[in-house]
Coordinates of all heavy atoms in Angstrom, one line a residue:
M1 N 18.1 -1.3 -6.8 CA 17.9 -0.1 -6.1 C 17.2 1.0 -7.0 O 16.4 1.7 -6.6 CB 19.1 0.5 -5.5 CG 19.6 -0.3 -4.3 SD 21.0 0.3 -3.3 CE 21.8 1.5 -4.3
G2 N 17.7 1.0 -8.3 CA 17.2 1.9 -9.2 C 15.7 1.7 -9.6 O 14.9 2.6 -9.7
L3 N 15.4 0.4 -9.7 CA 14.0 0.0 -10.0 C 13.1 0.4 -8.8 O 12.0 1.0 -9.0 CB 13.9 -1.5 -10.2 CG 12.5 -2.0 -10.4 CD1 11.8 -1.5 -11.7 CD2 12.5 -3.5 -10.4
G4 N 13.6 0.2 -7.6 CA 12.8 0.6 -6.4 C 12.6 2.1 -6.3 O 11.5 2.5 -6.0
A5 N 13.7 2.8 -6.6 CA 13.6 4.3 -6.5 C 12.6 4.8 -7.6 O 11.8 5.7 -7.3 CB 14.9 4.9 -6.6
A6 N 12.7 4.2 -8.7 CA 11.8 4.7 -9.8 C 10.3 4.3 -9.5 O 9.4 5.2 -9.7 CB 12.2 4.1 -11.1
V7 N 10.1 3.1 -9.1 CA 8.7 2.7 -8.9 C 8.1 3.4 -7.7 O 7.0 4.0 -7.8 CB 8.6 1.1 -8.7 CG1 7.3 0.7 -8.2 CG2 9.0 0.4 -10.0
M8 N 8.8 3.4 -6.6 CA 8.2 4.0 -5.4 C 8.2 5.5 -5.5 O 7.3 6.2 -4.9 CB 9.0 3.5 -4.1 CG 8.8 2.0 -3.9 SD 7.2 1.5 -3.5 CE 7.1 2.0 -1.8
G9 N 9.1 6.1 -6.2 CA 9.1 7.5 -6.5 C 7.9 7.9 -7.3 O 7.3 9.0 -7.0
T10 N 7.6 7.1 -8.3 CA 6.4 7.3 -9.1 C 5.1 7.3 -8.2 O 4.2 8.1 -8.3 CB 6.3 6.3 -10.2 OG1 7.4 6.4 -11.0 CG2 5.0 6.6 -11.1
V11 N 5.1 6.3 -7.4 CA 3.9 6.1 -6.5 C 3.8 7.3 -5.5 O 2.8 7.9 -5.3 CB 4.0 4.8 -5.7 CG1 2.9 4.7 -4.6 CG2 3.8 3.6 -6.6
G12 N 5.0 7.7 -5.0 CA 5.0 8.9 -4.1 C 4.6 10.2 -4.8 O 3.9 11.0 -4.3
T13 N 5.0 10.3 -6.1 CA 4.6 11.5 -6.8 C 3.1 11.5 -7.1 O 2.4 12.5 -7.0 CB 5.3 11.5 -8.2 OG1 6.7 11.5 -7.9 CG2 4.9 12.6 -9.0
L14 N 2.5 10.3 -7.4 CA 1.0 10.2 -7.6 C 0.3 10.6 -6.3 O -0.7 11.3 -6.3 CB 0.7 8.8 -8.0 CG 1.1 8.4 -9.4 CD1 0.9 7.0 -9.7 CD2 0.4 9.3 -10.5
I15 N 0.8 10.1 -5.2 CA 0.2 10.4 -3.9 C 0.3 11.9 -3.6 O -0.6 12.6 -3.2 CB 0.8 9.6 -2.8 CG1 0.4 8.1 -2.9 CG2 0.3 10.1 -1.4 CD1 1.1 7.2 -2.0
G16 N 1.5 12.5 -3.9 CA 1.7 13.9 -3.8 C 0.7 14.7 -4.6 O 0.2 15.8 -4.2
L17 N 0.5 14.3 -5.9 CA -0.5 15.0 -6.7 C -1.9 15.0 -6.1 O -2.6 16.0 -6.3 CB -0.5 14.3 -8.1 CG 0.7 14.6 -9.0 CD1 0.6 13.7 -10.3 CD2 0.7 16.1 -9.4
L18 N -2.3 13.9 -5.5 CA -3.6 13.8 -4.9 C -3.7 14.7 -3.7 O -4.8 15.2 -3.5 CB -3.9 12.3 -4.6 CG -4.1 11.4 -5.7 CD1 -4.3 10.0 -5.2 CD2 -5.3 11.8 -6.6
M19 N -2.7 14.8 -2.9 CA -2.7 15.5 -1.7 C -2.6 17.0 -1.9 O -3.0 17.8 -1.1 CB -1.7 15.0 -0.7 CG -1.9 13.6 -0.3 SD -0.7 13.0 0.8 CE -1.2 13.9 2.3
G20 N -2.0 17.4 -3.0 CA -1.8 18.9 -3.3 C -0.4 19.2 -3.6 O 0.6 18.4 -3.3
G21 N -0.1 20.3 -4.2 CA 1.2 20.7 -4.7 C 2.3 20.8 -3.7 O 3.4 20.5 -4.0
H22 N 1.9 21.3 -2.5 CA 3.0 21.5 -1.5 C 3.5 20.2 -0.9 O 4.5 20.2 -0.3 CB 2.5 22.5 -0.4 CG 1.3 22.0 0.4 ND1 0.0 22.0 -0.2 CD2 1.2 21.4 1.6 CE1 -0.8 21.4 0.7 NE2 -0.1 21.1 1.8
V23 N 2.7 19.1 -1.0 CA 3.1 17.9 -0.4 C 3.9 17.0 -1.5 O 4.6 16.1 -1.1 CB 1.9 17.1 0.1 CG1 2.2 15.8 0.7 CG2 1.1 17.9 1.0
L24 N 3.8 17.4 -2.7 CA 4.4 16.6 -3.8 C 5.9 16.3 -3.6 O 6.3 15.2 -3.7 CB 4.2 17.3 -5.1 CG 4.8 16.7 -6.4 CD1 4.1 15.3 -6.6 CD2 4.6 17.6 -7.6
P25 N 6.8 17.3 -3.3 CA 8.2 17.0 -3.1 C 8.5 16.0 -1.9 O 9.3 15.2 -2.0 CB 8.9 18.3 -2.9 CG 7.9 19.4 -3.2 CD 6.5 18.7 -3.2
V26 N 7.7 16.2 -0.9 CA 7.9 15.3 0.3 C 7.5 13.9 0.0 O 8.2 13.0 0.3 CB 7.1 15.9 1.5 CG1 7.2 14.9 2.7 CG2 7.6 17.3 1.9
A27 N 6.3 13.7 -0.6 CA 5.8 12.4 -1.0 C 6.7 11.7 -2.0 O 7.0 10.5 -1.8 CB 4.4 12.5 -1.5
A28 N 7.2 12.5 -3.0 CA 8.1 11.9 -3.9 C 9.4 11.5 -3.3 O 10.0 10.4 -3.6 CB 8.4 12.8 -5.1
G29 N 9.9 12.3 -2.4 CA 11.2 12.0 -1.7 C 11.1 10.8 -0.8 O 12.0 9.9 -0.8
V30 N 10.0 10.7 -0.1 CA 9.7 9.5 0.8 C 9.6 8.3 -0.1 O 10.1 7.2 0.2 CB 8.5 9.7 1.7 CG1 8.1 8.4 2.3 CG2 8.7 10.8 2.7
G31 N 8.9 8.4 -1.2 CA 8.8 7.2 -2.1 C 10.1 6.8 -2.7 O 10.4 5.6 -2.7
V32 N 11.0 7.7 -3.1 CA 12.3 7.3 -3.6 C 13.1 6.7 -2.5 O 13.8 5.7 -2.7 CB 13.0 8.6 -4.1 CG1 14.5 8.3 -4.4 CG2 12.4 9.0 -5.4
A33 N 13.1 7.2 -1.3 CA 13.8 6.6 -0.1 C 13.3 5.2 0.2 O 14.2 4.3 0.4 CB 13.7 7.5 1.1
L34 N 12.0 5.1 0.3 CA 11.5 3.7 0.6 C 11.8 2.7 -0.5 O 12.1 1.6 -0.3 CB 10.0 3.8 0.8 CG 9.5 4.4 2.1 CD1 8.0 4.5 2.1 CD2 10.0 3.6 3.2
G35 N 11.7 3.2 -1.8 CA 12.0 2.3 -2.9 C 13.5 1.9 -2.9 O 13.8 0.7 -3.2
T36 N 14.4 2.8 -2.5 CA 15.8 2.4 -2.5 C 16.0 1.4 -1.4 O 16.8 0.4 -1.6 CB 16.6 3.7 -2.2 OG1 16.4 4.6 -3.3 CG2 18.1 3.4 -2.1
V37 N 15.4 1.5 -0.2 CA 15.6 0.6 0.8 C 15.0 -0.8 0.5 O 15.6 -1.8 0.7 CB 14.9 1.1 2.1 CG1 14.8 0.0 3.2 CG2 15.6 2.3 2.7
V38 N 13.8 -0.8 -0.2 CA 13.2 -2.1 -0.6 C 14.1 -2.7 -1.6 O 14.3 -3.9 -1.6 CB 11.8 -1.9 -1.1 CG1 11.2 -3.1 -1.8 CG2 10.8 -1.5 0.0
G39 N 14.6 -1.9 -2.6 CA 15.5 -2.5 -3.6 C 16.8 -3.0 -3.0 O 17.4 -4.0 -3.4
L40 N 17.3 -2.4 -1.9 CA 18.5 -2.8 -1.2 C 18.3 -4.2 -0.6 O 19.2 -5.0 -0.6 CB 18.9 -1.8 -0.1 CG 20.2 -1.2 -0.3 CD1 20.2 0.2 0.3 CD2 21.2 -2.0 0.5
F41 N 17.1 -4.4 -0.1 CA 16.8 -5.7 0.5 C 16.4 -6.8 -0.5 O 16.0 -7.9 -0.1 CB 15.8 -5.6 1.6 CG 16.3 -4.9 2.8 CD1 15.8 -3.7 3.2 CD2 17.3 -5.5 3.6 CE1 16.3 -3.1 4.4 CE2 17.8 -4.9 4.7 CZ 17.3 -3.7 5.1
G42 N 16.4 -6.5 -1.8 CA 16.0 -7.5 -2.8 C 14.6 -7.7 -3.0 O 14.2 -8.8 -3.3
G43 N 13.7 -6.7 -2.9 CA 12.3 -6.9 -3.1 C 11.9 -6.7 -4.5 O 10.9 -5.9 -4.8
R44 N 12.5 -7.3 -5.5 CA 12.3 -7.1 -6.9 C 10.8 -7.6 -7.2 O 10.1 -6.9 -8.0 CB 13.3 -7.9 -7.7 CG 13.2 -7.6 -9.2 CD 14.3 -8.2 -10.0 NE 15.5 -7.4 -9.7 CZ 16.7 -8.0 -9.3 NH1 16.8 -9.3 -9.2 NH2 17.7 -7.2 -9.1
R45 N 10.4 -8.7 -6.7 CA 9.0 -9.2 -7.0 C 8.0 -8.2 -6.5 O 7.0 -7.9 -7.2 CB 8.7 -10.5 -6.4 CG 9.4 -11.7 -7.2 CD 9.0 -13.0 -6.6 NE 9.6 -13.2 -5.3 CZ 9.7 -14.4 -4.7 NH1 9.2 -15.4 -5.2 NH2 10.3 -14.5 -3.5
F46 N 8.2 -7.6 -5.3 CA 7.3 -6.7 -4.8 C 7.2 -5.4 -5.6 O 6.2 -4.9 -5.9 CB 7.8 -6.3 -3.3 CG 7.0 -5.2 -2.7 CD1 5.7 -5.4 -2.3 CD2 7.7 -4.0 -2.4 CE1 5.1 -4.4 -1.6 CE2 7.0 -3.0 -1.8 CZ 5.7 -3.2 -1.4
L47 N 8.4 -4.9 -6.0 CA 8.4 -3.7 -6.9 C 7.8 -3.9 -8.2 O 7.1 -3.0 -8.7 CB 9.9 -3.2 -7.0 CG 10.5 -2.7 -5.7 CD1 12.0 -2.5 -5.9 CD2 9.8 -1.4 -5.2
I48 N 8.0 -5.1 -8.8 CA 7.4 -5.3 -10.1 C 5.8 -5.4 -10.0 O 5.1 -4.9 -10.8 CB 8.0 -6.6 -10.7 CG1 9.4 -6.3 -11.1 CG2 7.1 -7.1 -11.9 CD1 10.2 -7.5 -11.6
S49 N 5.4 -6.0 -8.9 CA 3.9 -6.0 -8.7 C 3.3 -4.7 -8.5 O 2.2 -4.4 -8.9 CB 3.6 -6.9 -7.5 OG 4.0 -6.4 -6.3
I50 N 4.1 -3.8 -7.8 CA 3.6 -2.4 -7.7 C 3.6 -1.7 -9.0 O 2.6 -1.0 -9.4 CB 4.5 -1.6 -6.7 CG1 4.3 -2.1 -5.3 CG2 4.2 -0.1 -6.7 CD1 5.2 -1.5 -4.2
L51 N 4.6 -1.9 -9.8 CA 4.6 -1.3 -11.2 C 3.5 -1.8 -12.0 O 2.8 -1.0 -12.7 CB 6.0 -1.7 -11.8 CG 6.2 -1.1 -13.2 CD1 6.2 0.4 -13.2 CD2 7.5 -1.7 -13.8
I52 N 3.2 -3.1 -12.0 CA 2.1 -3.6 -12.8 C 0.8 -3.0 -12.3 O -0.1 -2.7 -13.1 CB 2.1 -5.2 -12.8 CG1 3.3 -5.7 -13.5 CG2 0.8 -5.7 -13.3 CD1 3.5 -7.2 -13.4
G53 N 0.6 -3.0 -11.0 CA -0.6 -2.4 -10.4 C -0.8 -0.9 -10.7 O -1.9 -0.5 -11.0
T54 N 0.3 -0.2 -10.7 CA 0.2 1.2 -11.1 C -0.3 1.4 -12.5 O -1.2 2.2 -12.8 CB 1.6 1.9 -10.9 OG1 2.0 1.8 -9.6 CG2 1.5 3.4 -11.3
I55 N 0.3 0.7 -13.4 CA -0.1 0.8 -14.9 C -1.5 0.3 -15.1 O -2.3 1.0 -15.7 CB 1.0 0.0 -15.7 CG1 2.3 0.7 -15.7 CG2 0.5 -0.1 -17.2 CD1 3.4 -0.1 -16.3
A56 N -1.8 -0.9 -14.5 CA -3.2 -1.4 -14.7 C -4.2 -0.5 -14.1 O -5.3 -0.3 -14.7 CB -3.3 -2.8 -14.1
G57 N -4.0 0.0 -12.9 CA -4.9 0.9 -12.3 C -5.1 2.2 -13.0 O -6.2 2.7 -13.2
G58 N -4.0 2.8 -13.5 CA -4.1 4.0 -14.3 C -4.9 3.8 -15.6 O -5.7 4.6 -16.0
V59 N -4.6 2.7 -16.3 CA -5.3 2.4 -17.6 C -6.8 2.2 -17.3 O -7.6 2.7 -18.1 CB -4.6 1.2 -18.3 CG1 -5.5 0.7 -19.4 CG2 -3.2 1.6 -18.8
L60 N -7.1 1.4 -16.3 CA -8.5 1.1 -16.0 C -9.2 2.4 -15.6 O -10.4 2.6 -16.1 CB -8.5 0.1 -14.8 CG -9.9 -0.5 -14.5 CD1 -10.5 -1.2 -15.7 CD2 -9.8 -1.4 -13.3
A61 N -8.6 3.2 -14.8 CA -9.3 4.5 -14.5 C -9.5 5.4 -15.7 O -10.5 6.1 -15.8 CB -8.5 5.2 -13.4
W62 N -8.5 5.4 -16.6 CA -8.6 6.2 -17.8 C -9.7 5.7 -18.7 O -10.5 6.5 -19.2 CB -7.3 6.1 -18.6 CG -7.2 6.9 -19.8 CD1 -7.8 8.0 -20.1 CD2 -6.4 6.6 -21.0 NE1 -7.5 8.5 -21.4 CE2 -6.6 7.6 -21.9 CE3 -5.6 5.6 -21.3 CZ2 -6.0 7.6 -23.2 CZ3 -5.0 5.6 -22.5 CH2 -5.2 6.6 -23.5
V63 N -9.9 4.4 -18.8 CA -10.9 3.8 -19.7 C -12.3 4.1 -19.0 O -13.3 4.4 -19.7 CB -10.7 2.3 -19.9 CG1 -11.9 1.6 -20.5 CG2 -9.5 2.1 -20.7
L64 N -12.4 3.9 -17.7 CA -13.7 3.9 -17.0 C -14.1 5.4 -16.7 O -15.3 5.7 -16.7 CB -13.7 3.1 -15.8 CG -13.6 1.6 -16.0 CD1 -13.5 0.8 -14.7 CD2 -14.7 1.0 -16.9
A65 N -13.2 6.2 -16.2 CA -13.6 7.5 -15.7 C -13.0 8.7 -16.4 O -13.3 9.8 -16.1 CB -13.2 7.6 -14.2
G66 N -12.1 8.5 -17.4 CA -11.5 9.6 -18.1 C -10.1 9.9 -17.6 O -9.7 9.5 -16.6
P67 N -9.4 10.8 -18.4 CA -8.0 11.1 -18.1 C -7.8 11.8 -16.8 O -6.7 11.8 -16.2 CB -7.6 11.9 -19.3 CG -8.8 12.4 -19.9 CD -9.9 11.4 -19.6
E68 N -8.8 12.5 -16.2 CA -8.6 13.3 -15.0 C -8.5 12.4 -13.8 O -8.1 12.8 -12.7 CB -9.7 14.3 -14.8 CG -11.1 13.7 -14.6 CD -11.8 13.4 -16.0 OE1 -11.3 13.8 -17.0 OE2 -12.9 12.8 -15.9
K69 N -8.9 11.1 -13.9 CA -8.8 10.2 -12.8 C -7.7 9.2 -12.9 O -7.6 8.2 -12.1 CB -10.2 9.4 -12.7 CG -11.4 10.3 -12.4 CD -11.3 11.0 -11.1 CE -12.5 11.8 -10.8 NZ -12.4 12.6 -9.6
I70 N -6.8 9.4 -13.8 CA -5.7 8.4 -14.0 C -4.8 8.3 -12.7 O -4.4 7.2 -12.3 CB -4.8 8.8 -15.2 CG1 -5.6 8.6 -16.5 CG2 -3.5 8.0 -15.2 CD1 -4.8 9.0 -17.7
S71 N -4.5 9.5 -12.1 CA -3.6 9.4 -10.9 C -4.3 8.7 -9.7 O -3.6 8.0 -9.0 CB -3.2 10.8 -10.5 OG -4.4 11.6 -10.2
V72 N -5.6 8.8 -9.6 CA -6.3 8.1 -8.5 C -6.3 6.6 -8.8 O -6.0 5.8 -7.9 CB -7.8 8.6 -8.4 CG1 -8.6 7.8 -7.4 CG2 -7.9 10.1 -8.1
G73 N -6.6 6.2 -10.0 CA -6.5 4.8 -10.3 C -5.1 4.2 -10.2 O -5.0 3.1 -9.8
A74 N -4.1 5.0 -10.6 CA -2.8 4.5 -10.5 C -2.3 4.3 -9.1 O -1.7 3.3 -8.7 CB -1.8 5.4 -11.3
G75 N -2.7 5.2 -8.2 CA -2.4 5.1 -6.8 C -3.1 3.9 -6.2 O -2.5 3.2 -5.4
A76 N -4.4 3.8 -6.5 CA -5.1 2.6 -5.9 C -4.5 1.3 -6.5 O -4.4 0.3 -5.8 CB -6.6 2.7 -6.3
G77 N -4.2 1.3 -7.8 CA -3.6 0.1 -8.4 C -2.2 -0.3 -7.8 O -1.9 -1.4 -7.6
A78 N -1.5 0.8 -7.5 CA -0.2 0.5 -6.8 C -0.3 -0.1 -5.4 O 0.4 -1.0 -5.1 CB 0.6 1.8 -6.7
A79 N -1.3 0.4 -4.7 CA -1.6 -0.2 -3.4 C -2.0 -1.6 -3.5 O -1.5 -2.5 -2.7 CB -2.7 0.7 -2.7
M80 N -2.9 -1.9 -4.4 CA -3.4 -3.3 -4.6 C -2.2 -4.2 -5.1 O -2.1 -5.3 -4.7 CB -4.5 -3.4 -5.5 CG -5.8 -2.9 -4.9 SD -6.3 -3.8 -3.5 CE -6.5 -5.4 -4.1
G81 N -1.4 -3.6 -6.0 CA -0.3 -4.4 -6.5 C 0.7 -4.7 -5.4 O 1.3 -5.8 -5.4
G82 N 1.0 -3.8 -4.5 CA 1.9 -4.0 -3.4 C 1.3 -5.1 -2.5 O 2.0 -6.0 -2.0
F83 N 0.0 -5.0 -2.2 CA -0.6 -6.0 -1.3 C -0.5 -7.4 -1.9 O -0.1 -8.4 -1.3 CB -2.1 -5.6 -1.0 CG -2.8 -6.7 -0.3 CD1 -2.6 -6.9 1.0 CD2 -3.7 -7.5 -1.0 CE1 -3.3 -7.9 1.7 CE2 -4.4 -8.5 -0.3 CZ -4.2 -8.7 1.0
L84 N -0.9 -7.5 -3.2 CA -0.9 -8.8 -3.9 C 0.6 -9.3 -4.1 O 0.8 -10.5 -4.0 CB -1.6 -8.7 -5.2 CG -3.1 -8.5 -5.1 CD1 -3.6 -8.2 -6.5 CD2 -3.8 -9.6 -4.4
G85 N 1.5 -8.4 -4.2 CA 2.9 -8.7 -4.4 C 3.5 -9.4 -3.1 O 4.2 -10.3 -3.2
V86 N 3.1 -8.8 -2.0 CA 3.5 -9.4 -0.7 C 3.0 -10.8 -0.5 O 3.7 -11.7 -0.1 CB 3.1 -8.5 0.5 CG1 3.3 -9.1 1.8 CG2 4.0 -7.2 0.4
Q87 N 1.7 -10.9 -0.8 CA 1.0 -12.2 -0.7 C 1.7 -13.3 -1.6 O 2.0 -14.4 -1.2 CB -0.5 -12.1 -0.9 CG -1.2 -11.2 0.0 CD -1.0 -11.6 1.4 OE1 -1.1 -12.8 1.8 NE2 -0.8 -10.6 2.3
F88 N 1.9 -12.9 -2.9 CA 2.5 -13.7 -3.8 C 3.9 -14.1 -3.4 O 4.3 -15.3 -3.5 CB 2.5 -13.1 -5.2 CG 3.2 -13.9 -6.3 CD1 2.5 -15.0 -6.8 CD2 4.4 -13.5 -6.8 CE1 3.1 -15.7 -7.8 CE2 5.0 -14.3 -7.7 CZ 4.4 -15.4 -8.3
S89 N 4.7 -13.2 -2.9 CA 6.0 -13.5 -2.5 C 6.0 -14.5 -1.3 O 6.9 -15.4 -1.2 CB 6.7 -12.2 -2.1 OG 8.0 -12.4 -1.7
M90 N 5.1 -14.3 -0.4 CA 5.0 -15.2 0.8 C 4.7 -16.6 0.3 O 5.2 -17.6 0.8 CB 4.0 -14.7 1.8 CG 4.5 -13.5 2.5 SD 3.3 -12.7 3.7 CE 2.2 -14.0 4.2
L91 N 3.8 -16.7 -0.7 CA 3.4 -18.0 -1.2 C 4.6 -18.7 -2.0 O 4.8 -19.9 -1.8 CB 2.2 -17.9 -2.1 CG 0.9 -17.6 -1.4 CD1 -0.2 -17.4 -2.5 CD2 0.5 -18.8 -0.5
M92 N 5.3 -17.9 -2.7 CA 6.5 -18.4 -3.4 C 7.6 -18.9 -2.5 O 8.2 -20.0 -2.7 CB 7.0 -17.4 -4.4 CG 6.1 -17.0 -5.5 SD 5.8 -18.4 -6.6 CE 7.3 -18.6 -7.4
D93 N 7.8 -18.2 -1.4 CA 8.7 -18.6 -0.4 C 8.3 -19.9 0.3 O 9.1 -20.8 0.6 CB 9.0 -17.5 0.7 CG 9.7 -16.3 0.1 OD1 10.3 -16.4 -1.0 OD2 9.6 -15.2 0.7
L94 N 7.0 -20.0 0.6 CA 6.5 -21.2 1.3 C 6.6 -22.4 0.3 O 7.0 -23.5 0.8 CB 5.0 -21.0 1.6 CG 4.3 -22.1 2.3 CD1 4.9 -22.4 3.6 CD2 2.8 -21.8 2.4
R95 N 6.4 -22.2 -0.9 CA 6.5 -23.3 -1.9 C 8.0 -23.7 -2.0 O 8.3 -24.9 -2.1 CB 6.0 -22.8 -3.3 CG 6.1 -23.8 -4.3 CD 5.5 -23.3 -5.6 NE 5.5 -24.4 -6.7 CZ 5.8 -24.1 -7.9 NH1 6.1 -22.9 -8.3 NH2 5.9 -25.1 -8.8
S96 N 8.9 -22.8 -2.1 CA 10.3 -23.2 -2.2 C 10.8 -23.9 -0.9 O 11.6 -24.8 -0.9 CB 11.2 -22.0 -2.5 OG 11.2 -21.1 -1.4
D97 N 10.3 -23.5 0.3 CA 10.6 -24.1 1.5 C 10.1 -25.6 1.5 O 10.8 -26.5 2.0 CB 10.1 -23.4 2.7 CG 10.8 -22.1 3.0 OD1 11.9 -21.9 2.5 OD2 10.2 -21.3 3.8
R98 N 8.9 -25.8 1.0 CA 8.4 -27.2 1.0 C 9.2 -28.0 0.0 O 9.4 -29.2 0.3 CB 6.9 -27.1 0.6 CG 6.0 -26.7 1.7 CD 4.6 -26.8 1.3 NE 3.7 -26.3 2.3 CZ 2.4 -26.2 2.2 NH1 1.8 -26.4 1.1 NH2 1.7 -25.8 3.3
K99 N 9.6 -27.5 -1.1 CA 10.4 -28.2 -2.1 C 11.7 -28.6 -1.5 O 12.2 -29.7 -1.6 CB 10.6 -27.4 -3.4 CG 9.4 -27.5 -4.3 CD 9.8 -26.8 -5.6 CE 8.7 -26.9 -6.6 NZ 9.1 -26.3 -7.9
R100 N 12.3 -27.6 -0.8 CA 13.6 -27.9 -0.1 C 13.5 -29.0 0.9 O 14.3 -29.9 1.1 CB 14.1 -26.6 0.5 CG 15.6 -26.5 0.6 CD 16.1 -25.2 1.0 NE 15.6 -24.1 0.2 CZ 15.0 -23.0 0.6 NH1 14.8 -22.9 1.9 NH2 14.6 -22.1 -0.2
A101 N 12.4 -28.9 1.7 CA 12.2 -29.9 2.8 C 11.9 -31.3 2.2 O 12.4 -32.3 2.7 CB 11.0 -29.5 3.7
A102 N 11.2 -31.4 1.1 CA 10.9 -32.7 0.4 C 12.2 -33.2 -0.2 O 12.4 -34.4 -0.1 CB 9.9 -32.5 -0.7
A103 N 13.0 -32.4 -0.8 CA 14.3 -32.9 -1.3 C 15.2 -33.4 -0.2 O 15.9 -34.4 -0.4 CB 15.0 -31.8 -2.1
A104 N 15.2 -32.7 0.9 CA 16.1 -33.2 2.1 C 15.5 -34.5 2.6 O 16.3 -35.4 3.0 CB 16.1 -32.1 3.2
N105 N 14.2 -34.7 2.6 CA 13.7 -36.0 3.1 C 14.0 -37.1 2.2 O 14.2 -38.2 2.6 CB 12.2 -35.8 3.3 CG 11.8 -35.0 4.6 OD1 12.6 -34.8 5.5 ND2 10.6 -34.5 4.6
Q106 N 14.0 -36.9 0.9 CA 14.3 -37.9 -0.1 C 15.8 -38.3 0.0 O 16.1 -39.5 -0.3 CB 13.9 -37.5 -1.5 CG 12.4 -37.4 -1.7 CD 12.1 -37.0 -3.1 OE1 13.0 -36.6 -3.9 NE2 10.8 -37.0 -3.5
S107 N 16.6 -37.4 0.2 CA 18.1 -37.7 0.3 C 18.5 -38.4 1.6 O 19.5 -39.0 1.7 CB 18.9 -36.4 0.0 OG 18.7 -35.5 1.1
N108 N 17.7 -38.2 2.6 CA 18.0 -38.9 3.9 C 16.9 -39.9 4.2 O 16.0 -39.7 5.0 CB 18.0 -37.8 5.1 CG 19.1 -36.8 4.9 OD1 20.1 -37.1 4.4 ND2 18.8 -35.6 5.3
P109 N 17.1 -41.1 3.7 CA 16.0 -42.2 3.9 C 16.1 -42.8 5.3 O 16.8 -42.7 6.1 CB 16.4 -43.3 2.9 CG 17.7 -43.0 2.4 CD 18.1 -41.6 2.8

């Protein structure tokens, strides 16, 4: 839950920075709440993919556009990281289901 609150709170803060100062506390609060809920349901892979996307997007924006665009790149990277994290998680679940089914078929000749 702590990882979720930290990661999603950071993303909410970045979105709040982009939208303006008065939206910042609301966006950060919503991010912390959503992160806590995702962490409660065990979305560790999802949260790690968002964290990696945030860092990679921020660094890439810094290198390509300068330090004033870090928050834009980090927000976009977090969105892409979340999308890719969901897809990766679904593929990993599908793979484990297939392995489980193959093991059950081998044990029941």
Side-chain angles (χ1 to χ4, degrees):
M1 288 184 346
L3 175 66
V7 170
M8 296 296 279
T10 302
V11 173
T13 302
L14 292 170
I15 291 171
L17 284 172
L18 291 175
M19 295 181 74
H22 62 284
V23 182
L24 179 65
V26 174
V30 169
V32 168
L34 287 175
T36 302
V37 170
V38 169
L40 240 147
F41 286 116
R44 187 170 289 129
R45 285 186 287 196
F46 174 69
L47 293 168
I48 290 173
S49 69
I50 290 176
L51 180 64
I52 292 169
T54 302
I55 294 169
V59 168
L60 189 61
W62 182 30
V63 169
L64 294 177
E68 64 276 353
K69 298 295 182 187
I70 290 175
S71 59
V72 175
M80 286 302 298
F83 173 76
L84 293 174
V86 167
Q87 300 302 316
F88 179 74
S89 182
M90 288 174 28
L91 289 174
M92 294 298 288
D93 291 342
L94 180 66
R95 182 175 180 222
S96 68
D97 288 345
R98 285 186 180 173
K99 281 185 175 182
R100 208 173 306 124
N105 286 340
Q106 288 180 353
S107 64
N108 294 329

